[in-house]
Amino acid sequence: MNFLDNFITSLMLIRVTDVIDIAIIAFVVYKLFSLLRNTRAEQVLYGLIFVLIFASIADMLNLNTVSWVMNQFLTVSLVFIIVVFQPELRTGLERIGRGRSIFGSEKNMRNEDSIKEIVSAMSSLSRQKIGALVVLEREVGLSDIIESGTMLEADISSELLINIFIPNTPLHDGAVIIRKNTITAAACYLPLSQSNTIAKELGTRHRAAIGITEKSDAVVIIVSEETGNISVAENGVINRYFDEESLTIRLRNEISEKGLKKDE
């Protein structure tokens, strides 16, 4: 009964500001986990949480030496995280500060037209075994990647996408960046993934696709020059062997069904 009385008394002492305070912290922690999910920093975050819990227990038990060591470790860890995980931190800040979707401000009909044009181009390139790399920008802005290529600012059309990737043309080497309903730039350079888990039969084009999805929330479509296979990369993971129907469904899901942020 004493425990129950103390619990009720404690509840009665809770103020509205305390509830708001807890809600804000819970929201920040949730967003932090969302931003770091499927990145290298995710496991480090779990490790830091374990250390924090261990340090709190040591402090409650008056284990002064252990508590001091844990506090020093946490201080050094913060500097280590800032240095080692700078790309992930940058990506997280970009997600907070910038809001972009693939086709955020356009109507559903325009979205569907864009999907048809992209799928038509990828299917044609696949049949001809012409390599292609198309990046669909989402919430994380890719301005630095765009600046590495040639600006186009053209409406999406299958004919233009096919012509861009025709071998020995000025823009064929590199990636096309699509922002909303616009082919923003071509011949863009993407960062290569350093992952050791990528299948050895996948070449530089696929490694570049995985690399940009490790550093942003972009969706990348790849056409293999050797096999003509169509693949899609997202969140550092690549899925292969898409046909017209499955690619259309995947793009519809990415654009319409994942709760992407919409421009007002």
Side-chain angles (χ1 to χ4, degrees):
M1 290 296 294
N2 289 334
F3 173 79
L4 182 60
D5 291 339
N6 292 334
F7 180 72
I8 295 174
T9 302
S10 299
L11 288 179
M12 294 176 63
L13 295 175
I14 295 178
R15 301 168 298 176
V16 175
T17 54
D18 295 328
V19 176
I20 296 174
D21 194 23
I22 295 172
I24 291 174
I25 295 299
F27 177 77
V28 170
V29 172
Y30 168 76
K31 293 300 292 184
L32 183 61
F33 272 103
S34 299
L35 291 172
L36 297 181
R37 187 174 53 198
N38 298 323
T39 67
R40 296 182 303 158
E42 182 179 15
Q43 298 303 318
V44 175
L45 181 62
Y46 292 147
L48 285 177
I49 292 174
F50 174 78
V51 172
L52 282 171
I53 295 174
F54 188 77
S56 299
I57 294 175
D59 191 49
M60 287 188 296
L61 297 177
N62 293 321
L63 302 177
N64 296 326
T65 303
V66 174
S67 181
W68 181 85
V69 171
M70 291 295 100
N71 289 332
Q72 298 304 311
F73 175 78
L74 288 172
T75 301
V76 175
S77 297
L78 290 176
V79 178
F80 173 80
I81 289 171
I82 293 174
V83 173
V84 176
F85 295 101
Q86 184 270 338
E88 284 80 2
L89 292 173
R90 177 184 174 185
T91 297
L93 291 174
E94 285 180 341
R95 291 190 184 186
I96 294 172
R98 303 174 65 176
R100 297 184 184 272
S101 63
I102 300 176
F103 308 125
S105 62
E106 303 295 331
K107 295 181 180 180
N108 290 334
M109 186 175 295
R110 185 84 185 273
N111 294 346
E112 190 66 24
D113 290 341
S114 297
I115 291 173
K116 289 180 180 178
E117 295 296 326
I118 294 171
V119 172
S120 176
M122 297 301 102
S123 299
S124 177
L125 293 169
S126 174
R127 289 191 295 270
Q128 301 175 68
K129 292 188 178 180
I130 296 175
L133 192 57
V134 177
V135 180
L136 308 181
E137 182 190 68
R138 294 210 287 186
E139 296 258 350
V140 177
L142 301 175
S143 294
D144 53 336
I145 302 297
I146 290 171
E147 290 172 0
S148 69
T150 300
M151 297 296 296
L152 294 181
E153 296 294 345
D155 290 338
I156 298 174
S157 72
S158 59
E159 292 83 3
L160 177 55
L161 285 171
I162 292 170
N163 285 332
I164 287 173
F165 291 110
I166 293 296
N168 301 321
T169 56
L171 301 178
H172 87 282
D173 189 18
V176 162
I177 309 296
I178 292 180
R179 173 179 285 176
K180 298 180 182 178
N181 277 295
T182 302
I183 300 176
T184 304
C188 298
Y189 294 98
L190 304 182
L192 298 180
S193 173
Q194 301 301 315
S195 174
N196 295 323
T197 61
I198 300 175
K200 293 184 178 180
E201 67 267 20
L202 299 181
T204 303
R205 186 175 286 110
H206 293 81
R207 188 172 286 273
I210 296 172
I212 190 62
T213 63
E214 290 174 339
K215 299 179 181 298
S216 73
D217 61 348
V219 177
V220 185
I221 308 168
I222 315 101
V223 178
S224 171
E225 186 174 359
E226 289 75 20
T227 65
N229 291 331
I230 300 175
S231 304
V232 176
E234 181 185 11
N235 293 328
V237 177
I238 190 166
N239 300 113
R240 303 161 69 184
Y241 310 116
F242 283 82
D243 56 19
E244 284 194 40
E245 182 179 358
S246 58
L247 181 60
T248 299
I249 293 173
R250 177 66 180 267
L251 293 183
R252 283 173 178 166
N253 290 339
E254 299 298 343
I255 295 169
S256 304
E257 297 180 6
K258 289 209 169 183
L260 300 178
K261 181 178 178 181
K262 304 295 182 185
D263 293 346
E264 299 295 336

